[in-house]
Amino acid sequence: MLTRRTFTSMATASAALVAAPALRAQAKLEKTKVSIAVGGKAAFYYLPLTITEQLGYFKAEGLDVEISDFAGGSRALQAVVGGSADVCSGAFEHTINLQAKNQFFQSFVLQGRAPQIAVGVSTKNMPAYQSIADLRGKKIGVSAPGSSTNMVANLVLSRGGLKASDVSYVGVGVAAGALTALRSGQIDAISNTDPVMTMLEQKGDVKIISDTRTLKGTQDVFGGPMPAACLYAPMDFVGKHPNTCQALANAIVRALKWLQTAGPGDIIKTVPEAYLLGDRALYLASFDKVRESISTDGIVPEAGPKTALTAITSFDASVKAERIDLSKIYTNDFARRAKERFKA
């Protein structure tokens, strides 16, 4: 016999079952205030991070995120290693370099599926450029020494028969300072991201000699899929703060989903004015060029870690492939759950 009390109990139980997914999605955060270090936030390389912040997706997950911007990825990494930041928004390959030094960090959500880095030579300083050999003894601008722009430059040099020690690297950032350094003749070549590279290219300031701003270009340079920008943190942090990492991944994947359908006007209205570098049309042209390189779901492709390891060991003798455990440098668990939640 169905009494009112029985009915009420059944209704309460049913409601609890329906609410269960939502309760799981809102699991108690081990840490609500999170500091993220990033190297060159204005670059398209980190556009998902900016969109996540600007649209309030971190706050929607119950997070109070403070983002500190540094000149390059290597500086941002130093902040996390030194303990002044919890998480790094940086290049995937840094997790490999760190493990080679017995420092275990783990990527837990991907922002970019291609490095978006192009290498170009100055048409002013090197008008007669013919081959990589011509770069011997020259100054190459990178976002910061040790950053992903430095890594790509090293790779390009090695394939042309040069070593990193055959050139001089100069940190120029990823914004107006990079444009000025190239145009004023302070550097002879540059390895950088968009919008800087498209702006230099369209004005005829550089001749592009290597390009990973597209999936095809990335395949040509690296021989496979190359994971790029991601959120990574010490494995100890990920292990102790799984709900916090899930919230961070949820927010990023939500931004990736937004970016899949965002139009030029949406981008312009969302990013800070300073990121446009004074030229909206060129900024949007840059975005069109790199759009496909932005991850669609935050998941690291299966072959990606191996591609990254092969690239690094090709020019860095201090990294021994046989000593790197690729299973420890990333996890797709958080991104998969976020993808399911937002159907990215």
Side-chain angles (χ1 to χ4, degrees):
M1 183 175 178
L2 184 62
T3 66
R4 177 173 294 185
R5 178 175 294 178
T6 303
F7 178 81
T8 302
S9 298
M10 290 173 63
T12 301
S14 298
L17 288 173
V18 172
L23 289 173
R24 284 197 297 271
Q26 297 171 14
K28 181 175 175 58
L29 302 181
E30 304 87 2
K31 185 179 178 67
T32 56
K33 188 172 178 60
V34 179
S35 55
I36 297 178
V38 59
K41 187 164 170 279
F44 280 124
Y45 192 83
Y46 298 116
L47 182 61
L49 178 69
T50 295
I51 296 300
T52 306
E53 177 190 37
Q54 294 293 316
L55 294 183
Y57 292 163
F58 286 130
K59 290 181 179 178
E61 293 293 327
L63 295 165
D64 177 10
V65 171
E66 179 184 9
I67 300 176
S68 298
D69 196 10
F70 295 84
S74 59
R75 302 285 171 79
L77 168 58
Q78 288 169 14
V80 180
V81 171
S84 60
D86 301 308
V87 175
C88 190
S89 179
F92 181 84
E93 65 269 13
H94 285 162
T95 60
I96 294 175
N97 288 322
L98 284 160
Q99 192 182 121
K101 300 172 184 175
N102 291 316
Q103 295 175 303
F104 292 85
F105 282 63
Q106 191 171 59
S107 162
F108 58 90
V109 63
L110 191 68
Q111 296 177 65
R113 53 183 181 171
Q116 300 181 23
I117 296 167
V119 179
V121 296
S122 168
T123 53
K124 175 183 177 181
N125 283 17
M126 302 186 68
Y129 173 86
Q130 293 294 323
S131 69
I132 297 296
D134 295 336
L135 289 172
R136 186 184 299 275
K138 301 298 184 181
K139 294 179 180 178
I140 301 179
V142 294
S143 57
S147 64
S148 56
T149 53
N150 198 156
M151 185 275 287
V152 169
N154 284 341
L155 181 62
V156 172
L157 290 177
S158 69
R159 291 182 176 172
L162 296 184
K163 301 186 295 293
S165 58
D166 290 326
V167 303
S168 298
Y169 284 115
V170 180
V172 297
V174 295
L179 297 174
T180 300
L182 192 288
R183 288 170 175 165
S184 65
Q186 297 173 44
I187 54 178
D188 305 298
I190 185 169
S191 176
N192 220 292
T193 55
D194 270 337
V196 166
M197 294 309 293
T198 291
M199 290 183 169
L200 291 173
E201 186 180 12
Q202 291 204 1
K203 297 294 184 180
D205 296 312
V206 296
K207 174 184 178 181
I208 301 296
I209 60 173
S210 181
D211 201 341
T212 66
R213 290 174 291 181
T214 64
L215 296 180
K216 181 182 182 304
T218 298
Q219 179 74 33
D220 292 343
V221 172
F222 290 98
M226 180 67 182
C230 64
L231 290 189
Y232 66 84
M235 287 188 71
D236 186 54
F237 179 91
V238 177
K240 290 180 178 177
H241 305 86
N243 295 337
T244 299
C245 289
Q246 186 63 63
L248 289 166
N250 289 346
I252 292 290
V253 170
R254 186 177 177 187
L256 295 176
K257 182 178 181 182
W258 183 88
L259 279 163
Q260 287 180 55
T261 57
D266 299 317
I267 300 296
I268 291 292
K269 284 186 289 187
T270 306
V271 303
E273 182 73 25
Y275 289 14
L276 308 182
L277 297 179
D279 196 325
R280 292 189 175 200
L282 272 178
Y283 184 87
L284 291 176
S286 301
F287 175 65
D288 285 339
K289 187 164 291 188
V290 304
R291 186 168 197 156
E292 71 170 8
S293 69
I294 297 171
S295 175
T296 59
D297 56 14
I299 294 174
V300 175
E302 185 177 354
K306 177 64 175 175
T307 301
L309 180 60
T310 300
I312 292 173
T313 55
S314 71
F315 63 82
D316 190 343
S318 69
V319 179
K320 308 297 183 183
E322 65 276 10
R323 296 181 183 176
I324 301 299
D325 184 349
L326 293 178
S327 68
K328 292 182 178 179
I329 67 171
Y330 78 105
T331 174
N332 277 326
D333 293 346
F334 299 104
R336 286 197 181 100
R337 283 191 287 267
K339 179 181 179 180
E340 178 61 26
R341 175 177 170 183
F342 295 110
K343 302 298 183 183

